[in-house]
Coordinates of all heavy atoms in Angstrom, one line a residue:
R1 N 112.2 114.0 80.5 CA 112.9 113.1 79.6 C 112.1 111.8 79.4 O 112.6 110.7 79.7 CB 114.3 112.8 80.0 CG 115.2 114.1 80.1 CD 115.4 114.7 78.7 NE 116.2 115.8 78.7 CZ 115.8 117.1 78.8 NH1 114.5 117.3 78.8 NH2 116.7 118.1 78.8
N2 N 110.9 111.9 79.0 CA 110.0 110.7 78.7 C 109.2 111.1 77.5 O 108.7 112.2 77.4 CB 109.1 110.5 80.0 CG 108.1 109.4 79.8 OD1 107.1 109.6 79.0 ND2 108.3 108.3 80.4
Y3 N 109.1 110.1 76.6 CA 108.5 110.4 75.3 C 107.0 110.7 75.5 O 106.4 111.5 74.8 CB 108.7 109.3 74.3 CG 110.1 109.3 73.8 CD1 111.1 108.4 74.2 CD2 110.5 110.3 72.9 CE1 112.4 108.4 73.8 CE2 111.9 110.3 72.4 CZ 112.8 109.4 72.9 OH 114.1 109.4 72.4
T4 N 106.3 110.0 76.4 CA 104.9 110.2 76.6 C 104.7 111.7 77.1 O 103.8 112.4 76.7 CB 104.3 109.2 77.6 OG1 104.5 107.9 77.1 CG2 102.9 109.5 77.9
V5 N 105.5 112.1 78.1 CA 105.4 113.5 78.6 C 105.7 114.5 77.5 O 105.0 115.5 77.3 CB 106.3 113.7 79.8 CG1 106.4 115.1 80.2 CG2 105.9 112.8 81.0
R6 N 106.8 114.2 76.7 CA 107.1 115.1 75.5 C 105.9 115.2 74.6 O 105.5 116.3 74.2 CB 108.3 114.5 74.7 CG 108.7 115.5 73.6 CD 109.0 114.9 72.3 NE 108.3 113.7 71.8 CZ 108.9 112.8 71.1 NH1 110.2 112.9 70.7 NH2 108.2 111.8 70.6
N7 N 105.2 114.1 74.4 CA 104.0 114.1 73.5 C 102.9 114.9 74.1 O 102.2 115.6 73.4 CB 103.6 112.7 73.1 CG 104.6 112.0 72.3 OD1 105.6 112.6 71.8 ND2 104.5 110.7 72.2
F8 N 102.7 114.8 75.4 CA 101.7 115.6 76.1 C 102.0 117.1 75.9 O 101.1 117.9 75.5 CB 101.6 115.4 77.6 CG 101.0 114.1 78.0 CD1 101.4 113.4 79.2 CD2 100.0 113.5 77.3 CE1 100.9 112.2 79.6 CE2 99.4 112.3 77.7 CZ 99.9 111.6 78.9
F9 N 103.2 117.5 76.2 CA 103.7 118.9 76.0 C 103.4 119.4 74.6 O 102.9 120.4 74.4 CB 105.2 119.0 76.3 CG 105.5 119.1 77.8 CD1 106.8 119.1 78.2 CD2 104.5 119.3 78.8 CE1 107.2 119.2 79.5 CE2 104.9 119.5 80.1 CZ 106.2 119.4 80.5
R10 N 103.8 118.6 73.6 CA 103.8 119.0 72.2 C 102.4 118.9 71.6 O 102.0 119.8 70.9 CB 104.8 118.0 71.4 CG 105.0 118.4 70.0 CD 105.8 117.3 69.3 NE 105.0 116.1 69.2 CZ 105.5 114.9 69.0 NH1 106.8 114.7 68.9 NH2 104.7 113.8 69.0
D11 N 101.7 117.9 71.9 CA 100.4 117.6 71.2 C 99.1 117.8 72.0 O 98.1 118.0 71.4 CB 100.4 116.1 70.7 CG 101.6 115.8 69.9 OD1 102.2 116.7 69.2 OD2 102.1 114.6 69.9
S12 N 99.2 117.8 73.3 CA 97.9 117.8 74.1 C 97.7 119.0 74.9 O 96.6 119.2 75.4 CB 97.9 116.6 75.0 OG 98.0 115.4 74.3
M13 N 98.7 119.9 75.0 CA 98.6 121.1 75.8 C 98.5 122.3 74.9 O 99.1 122.3 73.8 CB 99.7 121.3 76.8 CG 99.8 120.3 77.9 SD 101.3 120.6 78.9 CE 101.0 119.5 80.2
S14 N 97.7 123.3 75.4 CA 97.6 124.6 74.7 C 97.8 125.7 75.6 O 97.6 125.6 76.8 CB 96.2 124.7 74.0 OG 96.0 123.7 73.1
S15 N 98.3 126.8 75.1 CA 98.4 128.0 75.9 C 97.1 128.3 76.5 O 96.0 128.3 75.8 CB 98.9 129.2 75.1 OG 99.2 130.3 75.9
G16 N 97.1 128.6 77.8 CA 95.8 128.9 78.5 C 95.2 127.7 79.3 O 94.4 127.9 80.1
D17 N 95.7 126.5 79.0 CA 95.2 125.3 79.7 C 95.7 125.4 81.2 O 96.7 126.1 81.4 CB 95.8 124.0 79.1 CG 95.2 123.6 77.8 OD1 94.2 124.1 77.4 OD2 95.7 122.6 77.2
L18 N 94.9 124.9 82.0 CA 95.3 124.8 83.5 C 95.8 123.5 83.8 O 95.4 122.5 83.2 CB 94.1 125.2 84.3 CG 93.5 126.6 84.1 CD1 92.3 126.8 84.9 CD2 94.5 127.7 84.3
A19 N 96.7 123.4 84.8 CA 97.2 122.2 85.3 C 97.3 122.2 86.8 O 97.6 123.3 87.4 CB 98.6 122.0 84.7
F20 N 97.2 121.1 87.5 CA 97.5 121.0 88.9 C 99.0 121.0 89.1 O 99.7 120.3 88.3 CB 96.8 119.8 89.5 CG 95.3 119.8 89.6 CD1 94.6 118.8 89.1 CD2 94.7 120.8 90.3 CE1 93.2 118.8 89.2 CE2 93.3 120.8 90.4 CZ 92.6 119.8 89.9
F21 N 99.4 121.6 90.2 CA 100.8 121.5 90.6 C 100.8 120.5 91.7 O 100.2 120.7 92.7 CB 101.3 122.9 91.1 CG 102.8 122.9 91.2 CD1 103.5 124.0 90.6 CD2 103.5 122.0 92.0 CE1 104.9 124.1 90.8 CE2 104.9 122.1 92.2 CZ 105.6 123.1 91.5
Y22 N 101.6 119.4 91.5 CA 101.6 118.3 92.4 C 103.0 118.1 93.0 O 104.0 118.0 92.2 CB 101.2 117.0 91.7 CG 101.1 115.7 92.5 CD1 99.9 115.3 93.0 CD2 102.2 115.0 92.9 CE1 99.8 114.1 93.7 CE2 102.1 113.9 93.6 CZ 100.9 113.4 94.1 OH 100.8 112.3 94.8
H23 N 103.1 118.2 94.3 CA 104.4 117.9 95.0 C 104.6 116.4 95.1 O 103.7 115.8 95.7 CB 104.5 118.6 96.4 CG 104.8 120.1 96.3 ND1 104.8 120.9 97.4 CD2 105.2 120.9 95.3 CE1 105.1 122.1 97.1 NE2 105.3 122.1 95.8
S24 N 105.7 115.9 94.6 CA 105.9 114.5 94.7 C 107.2 114.2 95.5 O 108.0 115.1 95.8 CB 106.0 113.9 93.3 OG 107.2 114.4 92.6
S25 N 107.4 112.9 95.8 CA 108.6 112.5 96.5 C 108.9 113.3 97.7 O 110.1 113.8 97.9 CB 109.8 112.4 95.6 OG 109.5 111.5 94.5
C26 N 107.9 113.6 98.6 CA 108.1 114.4 99.7 C 107.3 113.8 100.9 O 106.6 112.8 100.7 CB 107.7 115.8 99.5 SG 106.0 116.0 98.9
E27 N 107.4 114.4 102.0 CA 106.7 113.9 103.2 C 105.2 113.8 103.0 O 104.6 112.8 103.4 CB 107.0 114.8 104.4 CG 106.5 114.2 105.7 CD 107.0 115.0 106.9 OE1 108.1 115.6 106.9 OE2 106.2 115.0 107.9
V28 N 104.6 114.8 102.4 CA 103.2 114.8 102.2 C 102.9 115.1 100.7 O 102.7 116.3 100.3 CB 102.4 115.8 103.1 CG1 100.9 115.8 102.8 CG2 102.8 115.6 104.5
P29 N 103.0 114.1 99.8 CA 102.7 114.3 98.4 C 101.3 114.7 98.2 O 100.3 114.2 98.9 CB 103.1 113.0 97.7 CG 103.0 112.0 98.8 CD 103.2 112.7 100.1
G30 N 101.1 115.6 97.2 CA 99.7 115.9 96.8 C 99.6 117.2 96.0 O 100.7 117.8 95.7
I31 N 98.4 117.6 95.6 CA 98.2 118.8 94.8 C 98.2 120.0 95.7 O 97.6 120.1 96.7 CB 96.8 118.7 94.1 CG1 96.8 117.4 93.2 CG2 96.5 119.9 93.3 CD1 95.4 117.1 92.6
V32 N 99.0 121.0 95.3 CA 99.3 122.2 96.1 C 98.8 123.4 95.4 O 98.8 124.5 96.0 CB 100.7 122.3 96.5 CG1 101.1 121.2 97.4 CG2 101.6 122.3 95.3
G33 N 98.3 123.3 94.2 CA 97.8 124.5 93.5 C 97.5 124.3 92.1 O 97.5 123.2 91.6
V34 N 97.3 125.4 91.4 CA 96.9 125.4 90.0 C 97.9 126.4 89.2 O 98.2 127.4 89.7 CB 95.5 125.9 89.8 CG1 95.1 126.0 88.3 CG2 94.5 125.0 90.5
M35 N 98.3 126.0 88.0 CA 99.1 126.8 87.2 C 98.6 126.8 85.8 O 97.7 125.9 85.4 CB 100.6 126.4 87.2 CG 100.8 124.9 86.9 SD 102.5 124.5 87.3 CE 102.5 122.8 87.0
E36 N 99.0 127.8 85.0 CA 98.5 127.9 83.6 C 99.7 127.7 82.6 O 100.8 128.1 82.9 CB 98.0 129.3 83.4 CG 97.5 129.6 82.0 CD 97.0 131.0 81.8 OE1 97.2 131.9 82.7 OE2 96.5 131.3 80.7
I37 N 99.3 127.0 81.5 CA 100.3 126.8 80.5 C 100.4 128.1 79.7 O 99.3 128.7 79.3 CB 99.9 125.7 79.5 CG1 99.6 124.4 80.3 CG2 100.9 125.5 78.4 CD1 100.8 123.9 81.1
V38 N 101.6 128.6 79.5 CA 101.8 129.9 78.8 C 102.6 129.7 77.5 O 103.8 129.2 77.6 CB 102.6 130.9 79.7 CG1 102.8 132.2 79.0 CG2 101.8 131.1 81.0
G39 N 102.0 130.0 76.4 CA 102.7 129.9 75.1 C 102.8 128.4 74.6 O 102.2 127.5 75.1
D40 N 103.5 128.3 73.5 CA 103.6 127.0 72.8 C 104.8 126.2 73.3 O 105.7 126.8 74.0 CB 103.9 127.3 71.3 CG 102.7 127.9 70.6 OD1 101.5 127.7 71.0 OD2 102.9 128.7 69.6
A41 N 104.8 124.9 73.0 CA 105.9 124.1 73.4 C 107.1 124.5 72.5 O 107.0 125.0 71.4 CB 105.6 122.6 73.1

């Protein structure tokens, strides 16, 4: 629920793009893996 994030989803990402999965607000925050964007917004 943030307009900047909405715009990333809508305008900057494409199906097949890769993204890091980041665990936040936890004992050890950080990047835990990779995921792929599937389909359109």
Side-chain angles (χ1 to χ4, degrees):
R1 297 296 182 263
N2 176 284
Y3 288 105
T4 300
V5 171
R6 184 221 36 210
N7 295 347
F8 287 150
F9 279 169
R10 187 188 64 202
D11 305 330
S12 300
M13 292 181 172
S14 298
S15 188
D17 285 350
L18 298 178
F20 288 125
F21 194 127
Y22 184 100
H23 280 173
S24 65
S25 300
C26 57
E27 189 174 329
V28 182
I31 299 171
V32 293
V34 175
M35 55 191 172
E36 178 183 7
I37 306 304
V38 179
D40 294 329

